[in-house]
DNA sequence: GCTCATTTGTTCGTATGTATC
DNA sequence: TGATACATACGAACAAATGAG
């Protein structure tokens, strides 16, 4: 009996079953981001359904960000849905003029440390597991604006330390991780707060200790709600504000 | 000649034309939020197109948040897309426990003032126009957490001062404005920063002057990208963080 | 520049199922 | 129960974009 058929005992629509089958295959990495999936007609034949049913399943996955389509070329697996580095996603405003800054990234440090609270909680790890700690400074015309510390589970990113520095300075972290480990970023959580600069942060940002700083904690998730990065950012929002849209 | 027809000189798809016609009617207030629009069949007949074409137009508007559908009942105009008060949309976290606070709102002041910089810029007004200024405190178990000052164009909200206090304390501002003025909130812009508490804010939040505060500026937009509220919020993020998802 | 096969995009018609009142 | 309205599913035809030859 055809598992695709809608029956009384299983009223799930056919298009929805197909949609979930495809979603599953994408998440399990049958195709990497950017790769072309089978054309509509093949899928229709394979699963013995109409082309319009395949269309509906695929279009839903396009809406959910799993796929994108190009007329005449095909249907492709989408990569990272967040198109740019989170820190660039926030536009920096100086005063009220929309003077968008071009940020330069500098890698300060990359080492392996033991997991700690609350990173273990956010990254769903045990306290005895290893983490990469990546410290970076984002500057605008020689002025340090943002100091970030990223934590990545060591077991998810083997050999990360052996990649060239440029991996962390030329491309965004998102692109780098997607390209080298096939992990697209599906969504982020963020925690916002205000703190006064401690000694280390003040030194890195070249500001007086005690300055009010915008503090952003971010947790990035890939498929299946799996967290893969915990990041702390300290932004010198003096004279600047951080902009975003809901 | 039928304007709906797709021709060589106008290759715009029929479903898209219909979609834009409907979007326009919604934005111009032909139906209020919650009201039922014409059924598929009628629209198909009226515009001389197939039901499937109408479906496509409508489903796109559903995806964009203009409409929602209930099988067997009809298709309805969606109201505010931001489902809850922005300040409640942010979950407050104390430390790392997900202790979601229930916030109580208190109206401190409602008066009419002259427009000022930068409100004129954000609300697209002249400097000589009038603004409502609404000051509110959000508290969690008697502790003031957030101090907000909202600015609304006087000309968009006639008689606002005559509404009962409960309008600003019982329901969210979004719901109140949608219900009384038929203005749904389509999206928000936000500016984040960190500031040290000035004298007035410190007093309102019952904290020492100079405490690091989370500062959020928000501009709310209704249909056609028309701004209708500029809001400044000062959050005492000491011990708490503000949470959101992208 | 052209043609052709492939692939997605649009539009229609039609039938049947299901939820609401 | 019947009328109304949306949901699912199939089939078919043609348009439009792409890439190969």
């Amino acid at each position: 009996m055809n598992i695709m058929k809608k029956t009384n005992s299983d009223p799930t629509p056919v298009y929805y079953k197909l949609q979930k089958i495809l979603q599953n295959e994408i998440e399990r990495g049958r195709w990497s981001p950017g790769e072309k999936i089978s054309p509509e007609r093949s899928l229709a034949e394979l699963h013995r359904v109409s082309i319009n049913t395949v269309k509906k399943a695929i279009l839903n996955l396009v809406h959910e960000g799993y796929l994108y389509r190009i007329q005449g070329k095909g249907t492709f697996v989408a990569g990272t849905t967040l198109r740019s580095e989170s820190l660039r996603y926030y536009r920096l405003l100086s005063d009220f003029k929309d003077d968008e800054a071009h940020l330069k990234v500098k890698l300060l440090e990359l080492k392996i440390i033991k997991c700690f609270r609350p990173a273990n909680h956010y990254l769903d790890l045990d306290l005895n597991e290893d983490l990469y700690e990546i410290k970076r400074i984002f500057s605008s015309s020689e002025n340090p604006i943002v100091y970030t510390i990223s934590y990545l589970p060591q077991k998810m990113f083997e050999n990360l330390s052996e990649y060239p520095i440029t991996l962390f300075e030329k491309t965004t972290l998102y692109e780098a991780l997607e390209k080298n480990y096939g992990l697209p970023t599906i969504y982020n959580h963020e925690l916002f707060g205000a703190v006064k600069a401690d000694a280390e942060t003040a030194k890195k940002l070249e500001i007086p200790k005690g300055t009010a700083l915008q503090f952003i904690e971010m947790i990035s998730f890939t498929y299946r709600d799996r967290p893969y990065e915990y990041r702390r950012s300290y932004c010198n929002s003096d004279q600047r504000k951080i902009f975003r849209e809901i």
Side-chain angles (χ1 to χ4, degrees), chain A:
Chain A
M1 172 173 159
N2 193 337
I3 200 181
M4 274 314 198
K5 286 287 161 287
K6 190 167 133 184
T7 64
N8 275 8
S9 52
D10 178 11
T12 316
V14 178
Y15 78 84
Y16 191 75
K17 282 189 211 153
L18 178 55
Q19 182 182 327
K20 286 303 167 185
I21 287 172
L22 291 172
Q23 182 181 328
N24 204 294
E25 289 183 308
I26 293 166
E27 290 178 347
R28 298 167 71 89
R30 168 163 172 193
W31 306 280
S32 355
E35 204 172 330
K36 184 170 165 310
I37 73 167
S38 322
E40 288 175 344
R41 279 183 170 76
S42 321
L43 288 172
E45 265 184 65
L46 176 62
H47 295 97
R48 314 298 195 88
V49 296
S50 128
I51 248 192
N52 284 320
T53 304
V54 174
K55 250 188 205 328
K56 175 139 190 170
I58 287 181
L59 287 181
N60 282 344
L61 290 171
V62 169
H63 274 297
E64 292 180 9
Y66 284 92
L67 297 171
Y68 62 94
R69 321 190 81 189
I70 302 174
Q71 184 176 152
K73 287 187 78 170
T75 304
F76 305 85
V77 173
T80 291
T81 50
L82 301 168
R83 284 279 156 237
S84 56
E85 180 81 346
S86 183
L87 272 167
R88 298 196 182 181
Y89 174 73
Y90 299 107
R91 288 185 242 160
L92 294 172
L93 305 180
S94 37
D95 224 341
F96 303 109
K97 298 175 293 296
D98 199 343
D99 156 31
E100 189 158 338
H102 183 68
L103 294 183
K104 261 185 55 182
V105 193
K106 185 162 160 40
L107 176 69
L108 299 184
E109 201 179 319
L110 192 173
K111 63 177 177 187
I112 294 182
I113 62 169
K114 278 284 167 226
C115 202
F116 61 93
R117 269 178 47 94
N120 65 320
H121 175 240
Y122 294 142
L123 293 173
D124 205 12
L125 296 175
D126 287 335
L127 278 170
N128 60 4
E129 293 187 82
D130 285 336
L131 287 181
Y132 288 107
E133 181 185 65
I134 304 175
K135 296 185 176 177
R136 292 178 297 169
I137 285 278
F138 293 73
S139 308
S140 163
S141 50
E142 304 309 311
N143 300 313
I145 306 296
V146 185
Y147 172 42
T148 78
I149 314 175
S150 296
Y151 301 98
L152 307 159
Q154 196 271 332
K155 64 181 180 187
M156 284 178 77
F157 301 98
E158 307 278 348
N159 310 321
L160 189 65
S161 345
E162 289 161 24
Y163 283 95
I165 297 279
T166 53
L167 184 64
F168 307 100
E169 300 196 338
K170 286 282 186 297
T171 68
T172 69
L173 197 50
Y174 288 154
E175 286 169 4
L177 298 181
E178 177 173 333
K179 185 164 296 179
N180 292 281
Y181 296 93
L183 274 189
T185 301
I186 303 300
Y187 66 99
N188 284 344
H189 279 188
E190 292 178 306
L191 299 153
F192 290 79
V195 296
K196 290 189 182 178
D198 63 15
E200 188 205 344
T201 309
K203 197 176 150 201
K204 296 282 201 300
L205 290 174
E206 301 169 17
I207 51 172
K209 210 180 127 180
T211 305
L213 291 179
Q214 173 71 55
F215 177 50
I216 305 177
E217 285 175 293
M218 186 184 79
I219 308 149
S220 299
F221 294 80
T222 184
Y223 290 135
R224 302 210 172 271
D225 302 322
R226 203 150 65 112
Y228 76 89
E229 184 196 1
Y230 168 53
R231 183 187 298 192
R232 295 175 160 177
S233 302
Y234 299 87
C235 312
N236 183 2
S237 64
D238 191 44
Q239 293 298 71
R240 284 192 180 70
K241 300 212 191 65
I242 292 172
F243 171 81
R244 70 180 313 192
E245 290 179 41
I246 292 190

